[in-house]
Amino acid sequence: MDLSPDAAFTAQANGTAAMYDEAEADHEGFWARQARERISWSTDFEQTLDWSGAPFAKWFVGGELNVAYNCVDRHVEAGNGDRVAIHFEGEGGDTRTITYADLLAEVSKAANALESLGVATGDRVAVYMPMIPETVFTMLACARIGAPHSVIFGGFSAEALHTRIADAEAKVVVTTDGQWRRGKAAPLKAAVDAAIHHGDDASPVEKVLVVKRTDSEVEWDDDRDVWWHDLVDGQPDTHEAQPMDSEHPLFILYTSGTTGKPKGIFHTTGGYLTQAAYTNAVVHDVHPETDVYWCTADVGWVTGHSYIVYGPLANGATQVLYEGTPDTPHQGRWWEIVEKYKVSILYTAPTAIRTFMKWGAEIPAKFDMSSIRVLGSVGEPINPEAWLWYRKHVGHDTAPIVDTWWQTETGAIMISPLPGVTTLEPGSAQHPIPGISAEILDDDGNPFTEPEKVGYLVLTKPWPSMLRGIWGDPERYRETYWSRFGEKYYFAGDGAKYDDKGNIWLLGRVDDVMNVSGHRLSTAEIESALVSHPKVAEAAVVGASDDTTGQAVCAFVILRADAVEEADEPGEGGELVQELRNHVSQEIGPIAKPRQVMVVPELPKTRSGKIMRRLLRDVAENREVGDVTTLADSSVMSLIKEGMSGGS
Ligand code: WT7
């Protein structure tokens, strides 16, 4: 199979081979050029990078800009007001076409509305919404005012919402009455109410702005709650965008770390927008005049921030926004959307591709997908089998696939092939893009390049869209990312290796972070949810490999003595197990619900009391249990295996 770039593709590609050399020769000069060519500044910057306060970076110092102006107004000013910004496709088949001129009016109204609720520059706004146009309007309205948003994925529970609202001290929450899921209305505002009335804590939330989406029954607090249609619709459709400092915070996004407490990753204005726009241009190869782009991520994750809202809109692209699930009302829904809007660039996750593989190639074959010219993958390593299926059945064996490695923390794509430039290698994210530098280190922190040796991925130079810290916790930022290998290296938390062609292969997390369907979950967070249940004495959670979701949550629990008596058989059947699975769902959200909960008499621990998750993973993956010699009590593993055999 020839995976070298096609000459016709190369001729039109935004990315070029020369960019690697330019960036190599002058790292800061390269980024300064991206910032000036792709972004409109109301005040030009004086210094490209200030790294004197490392690891706290400042990019494009002294520059001023407004992100919403860059994503909306300037396209209208340039005469492209009639271009479609968003083709919205509701789950139930309702649609809405939003041009850049419409977007300007909607964002302006939303900005006026937020200001009327008392939101000012610097105030935080929590956004807990489904995939509907108002979510994009809200995010851009926040950016317009300079009020950092904190979007919380709609699949998180009231409990998780509470923690995030409290940590960010959000003054306003924007939500909907409910969200459509497989034809049913699931409540959303109810979780906001519960998050605000949480225990005895006083909530920072003053106002809740509610979009009517499902027409569901909601509880109402007249002093606090405001309907979107009552407030926003009547606002003036013009609003003056104020320039913000390049380093003004744009958003906070919570992600799981190795401890139970989620980290509020925060990003700022100029550097973030520059790299979001640049990568969407050179990696997705978006040509705004001709392409129809579709990123299937939820805006509740960083992929949705950078590659639904900020990157494509900064570039003036036309995109699809789809509210629903891939199998509603049938398993060909995505391909029907591709055919309907003539989607030319599709950006999705390996877990989705593996699901489509399971459903069968005859489903996409029923639709006209000849419009597809670039495919992207993100969130976890894509196995070569899924890569080849994607290429064949979605990309008619010709579309280049970009496997993009990055993180909430990196803000934008870091390692990926450039379509039209790179000869592709199925399963590998391949090389740092121009302007980015990465290395692989051994245990002692020495870089190496030998093929097939496994090490740790690090980033060696600051980049514009890097996180500026963890909200309210600068020390944790330093410790988490800049201490494992000293202050010179950003430690990503991923294992990696080179192949004999010098391609980088990402090998998954090396810390206690799991990746389930491309969603990041922390073992510690799920463990603490489990032990908060009155019947659980101790819990250990591992990510076990799963054919569809990449990894799946497997929990091992020890019950409290009084609970053991009333418990059903040990193992993973029975009511108690269901109760514990539901408990996790309630504490964190359905995405964290364990695939399996196994009730065990003991957990394998080292002499110093550390749980040996490696051994539990062996059990969860049905493997021969590995080396047990460092266990304090080496009989524990046979106890666990014995106890379980009666279960499932
Ligand atoms: C972690 C970051 C990037 C946005 C979505 C996830 C894993 C991400 C890839 C890829 C191998 C990948 C890493 C990373 N990851 N993309 N192309 N190949 N692994 O963002 O929730 O911050 O998770 O996702 O393990 O550290 P996130």
Side-chain angles (χ1 to χ4, degrees), residues 274-581:
T274 298
Q275 195 172 330
Y278 158 71
T279 48
N280 180 244
V282 303
V283 178
H284 298 120
D285 196 45
V286 166
H287 291 68
E289 306 79 16
T290 46
D291 276 312
V292 177
Y293 164 91
W294 182 20
C295 166
T296 67
D298 192 283
V299 278
W301 308 108
V302 74
T303 307
H305 283 57
S306 303
Y307 299 112
I308 293 176
V309 182
Y310 295 112
L313 295 178
N315 289 334
T318 295
Q319 69 177 313
V320 171
L321 183 74
Y322 173 53
E323 179 185 33
T325 49
D327 53 356
T328 309
H330 57 79
Q331 295 179 335
R333 184 70 189 271
W334 277 21
W335 318 125
E336 190 177 71
I337 292 173
V338 167
E339 178 180 284
K340 175 173 175 186
Y341 295 104
K342 301 195 168 43
V343 170
S344 55
I345 304 168
L346 180 70
Y347 191 36
T348 192
T351 184
I353 299 160
R354 290 192 296 263
T355 303
F356 295 130
M357 284 173 77
K358 232 170 33 191
W359 291 347
E362 62 283 4
I363 296 174
K366 286 186 213 141
F367 299 88
D368 177 7
M369 302 215 283
S370 56
S371 53
I372 293 278
R373 59 174 208 90
V374 181
L375 296 173
S377 172
V378 59
E380 56 172 315
I382 176 165
N383 46 312
E385 200 193 353
W387 195 104
L388 293 168
W389 191 94
Y390 193 28
R391 164 102 166 174
K392 181 160 183 213
H393 299 289
V394 184
H396 32 81
D397 253 337
T398 50
I401 298 179
V402 289
D403 173 7
T404 61
W405 178 90
W406 58 295
Q407 311 177 293
T408 305
E409 291 88 339
T410 70
I413 294 167
M414 303 293 281
I415 302 179
S416 169
L418 292 188
V421 178
T422 313
T423 295
L424 304 171
E425 182 68 42
S428 164
Q430 302 195 270
H431 309 291
I433 60 169
I436 300 301
S437 317
E439 270 180 309
I440 304 177
L441 307 184
D442 65 17
D443 276 318
D444 302 321
N446 301 311
F448 64 84
T449 54
E450 305 101 280
E452 300 308 321
K453 177 174 159 178
V454 173
Y456 304 94
L457 180 76
V458 295
L459 303 168
T460 58
K461 281 184 192 153
W463 62 99
S465 65
M466 68 194 291
L467 74 164
R468 300 303 195 261
I470 294 174
W471 193 254
D473 199 348
E475 214 23 63
R476 189 175 179 196
Y477 167 64
R478 213 185 267 279
E479 237 163 67
T480 311
Y481 306 103
W482 301 93
S483 68
R484 174 70 176 80
F485 295 110
E487 281 175 18
K488 253 175 68 185
Y489 296 113
Y490 169 91
F491 172 55
D494 278 349
K497 64 168 191 182
Y498 293 106
D499 63 15
D500 55 9
K501 296 174 208 151
N503 292 305
I504 297 176
W505 292 68
L506 279 311
L507 303 172
R509 303 288 307 188
V510 295
D511 51 12
D512 293 329
V513 170
M514 288 171 288
N515 190 324
V516 179
S517 297
H519 298 154
R520 197 156 137 185
L521 297 169
S522 125
T523 53
E525 208 177 339
I526 301 176
E527 286 165 3
S528 73
L530 282 165
V531 296
S532 76
H533 188 283
K535 289 181 184 158
V536 175
E538 234 187 305
V541 166
V542 297
S545 59
D546 183 285
D547 285 346
T548 308
T549 58
Q551 286 189 309
V553 179
C554 292
F556 295 80
V557 297
I558 303 179
L559 299 179
R560 284 177 191 268
D562 48 346
V564 174
E565 274 140 49
E566 33 173 307
D568 0 75
E569 286 289 287
E572 53 166 319
E575 270 169 46
L576 176 65
V577 162
Q578 287 314 323
E579 188 178 319
L580 296 179
R581 292 179 66 225

Side-chain angles (χ1 to χ4, degrees), residues 39-45 62-67 69-70 241-246:
I39 301 303
S40 305
W41 299 79
S42 44
T43 309
D44 191 20
F45 49 90
E64 290 188 330
L65 70 161
N66 186 286
V67 166
Y69 173 83
N70 271 276
Q242 292 304 318
M244 302 292 149
D245 186 88
S246 178

